Amino acid sequence: MTTHDLTRPRPATNGGQTEATETAPPTGDGASPVGFLDPDDCFTRPFCQTPFVREHLVRIDQYDLLETELSRFAGVVISSHADQDYLYRHRDVIREFLDVGGVVVFSGHLATRWLPGAASFVPRDIEDHADYVVSEVTPHPVFDGVSMDDLTYQRGVAGFFARGHNPPPAHATAILELPGGEPVVYVDDETTDGTIFAHSGNDLIGFGRRETSAARVPRQLVSWIRTESDVAVGGSPEPLRNGEDRR
């Protein structure tokens, strides 16, 4: 986790990529854009230079959070490398976005209590590589057509997808679990008026570089965010869809 003690946003150094302060790239169907909250480190900087980001996301420098109108986004994807101390100090901004129907997606080990309803990361006791095996307990559009083996193993090595879990609230829906029943991906659409999609491993939004079925995840994640969001184009919340299963 990167930690910075800053009170004002710092300049972005993203090489000219689309910023939240500029016009978002068109979605082609009139849908609100999806933001990527970027800590601008050595891991996320190359990702923000990819065609996928230019075509599907709007980069938001993490330290511009207080100056960004989040309500014009369908959802915001938060990197596993985010400065969680900063997010904790400004957790009300995340909560306000969720409470107008926004979608927040987080991958990583939760270190501070900035994500509504979630508890801090709990590592799993590992005795064998089979302890890392991921199983799908609730079908979800983000993982449609994705082999669980392709999530569990990367070039034959297990453990990259999840090595523990961020304990969710009791009402959350577990999507993927480890062998001990630990939910490593869950959806929570009850703690707030929006939807939280939480994963306890490396950034799902970066899986497009893989040469397996796991490469389907980033595009399906962006598509699901736009479908799931209750933030209307222009920043006004839409009425909640009574009785609709949004998981």
Side-chain angles (χ1 to χ4, degrees):
M1 180 183 68
T2 305
T3 302
H4 302 270
D5 186 14
L6 299 178
T7 57
R8 293 184 58 81
R10 57 187 173 79
T13 58
N14 67 328
Q17 296 301 311
T18 304
E19 295 284 349
T21 54
E22 300 174 3
T23 301
T27 62
D29 56 5
S32 295
V34 174
F36 175 67
L37 199 66
D38 178 24
D40 189 27
D41 65 7
C42 62
F43 297 100
T44 63
R45 199 171 298 135
F47 172 67
C48 286
Q49 302 290 332
T50 63
F52 177 82
V53 173
R54 291 195 297 270
E55 295 172 13
H56 298 283
L57 300 172
V58 177
R59 178 188 178 276
I60 307 168
D61 190 283
Q62 175 169 340
Y63 302 102
D64 287 341
L65 179 62
L66 300 185
E67 298 178 358
T68 301
E69 183 55 58
L70 293 183
S71 63
R72 71 183 185 84
F73 294 96
V76 175
V77 178
I78 299 177
S79 170
S80 60
H81 300 281
D83 178 349
Q84 294 192 44
D85 290 338
Y86 183 86
L87 291 176
Y88 179 77
R89 291 199 297 273
H90 303 296
R91 60 193 180 278
D92 56 320
V93 176
I94 303 297
R95 178 67 192 236
E96 288 169 5
F97 175 61
L98 285 162
D99 281 339
V100 298
V103 177
V104 169
V105 173
F106 171 66
S107 290
H109 298 174
L110 196 63
T112 62
R113 300 293 291 271
W114 60 269
L115 188 66
S120 298
F121 177 77
V122 177
R124 194 188 196 287
D125 292 332
I126 301 297
E127 297 182 358
D128 185 87
H129 71 89
D131 293 331
Y132 291 124
V133 171
V134 177
S135 62
E136 186 175 38
V137 294
T138 304
H140 194 280
V142 170
F143 301 108
D144 184 34
V146 178
S147 164
M148 293 299 103
D149 279 350
D150 290 342
L151 295 180
T152 300
Y153 298 98
Q154 184 175 358
R155 298 178 180 177
V157 180
F160 289 100
F161 189 81
R163 299 187 177 204
H165 72 296
N166 302 315
H171 54 255
T173 299
I175 306 299
L176 305 182
E177 292 183 348
L178 291 175
E182 302 91 341
V184 295
V185 175
Y186 72 84
V187 172
D188 176 9
D189 58 7
E190 294 187 32
T191 297
T192 69
D193 288 333
T195 304
I196 295 167
F197 183 103
H199 162 230
S200 58
N202 293 330
D203 288 344
L204 289 177
I205 200 69
F207 276 32
R209 295 168 290 182
R210 298 193 178 188
E211 298 177 352
T212 66
S213 65
R216 298 171 60 100
V217 169
R219 290 177 184 271
Q220 292 179 173
L221 179 61
V222 171
S223 178
W224 172 78
I225 290 170
R226 290 180 173 143
T227 300
E228 177 72 10
S229 179
D230 281 318
V231 178
V233 175
S236 299
E238 295 177 345
L240 292 177
R241 301 184 287 261
N242 292 331
E244 183 175 338
D245 183 1
R246 303 188 302 169
R247 294 186 291 272

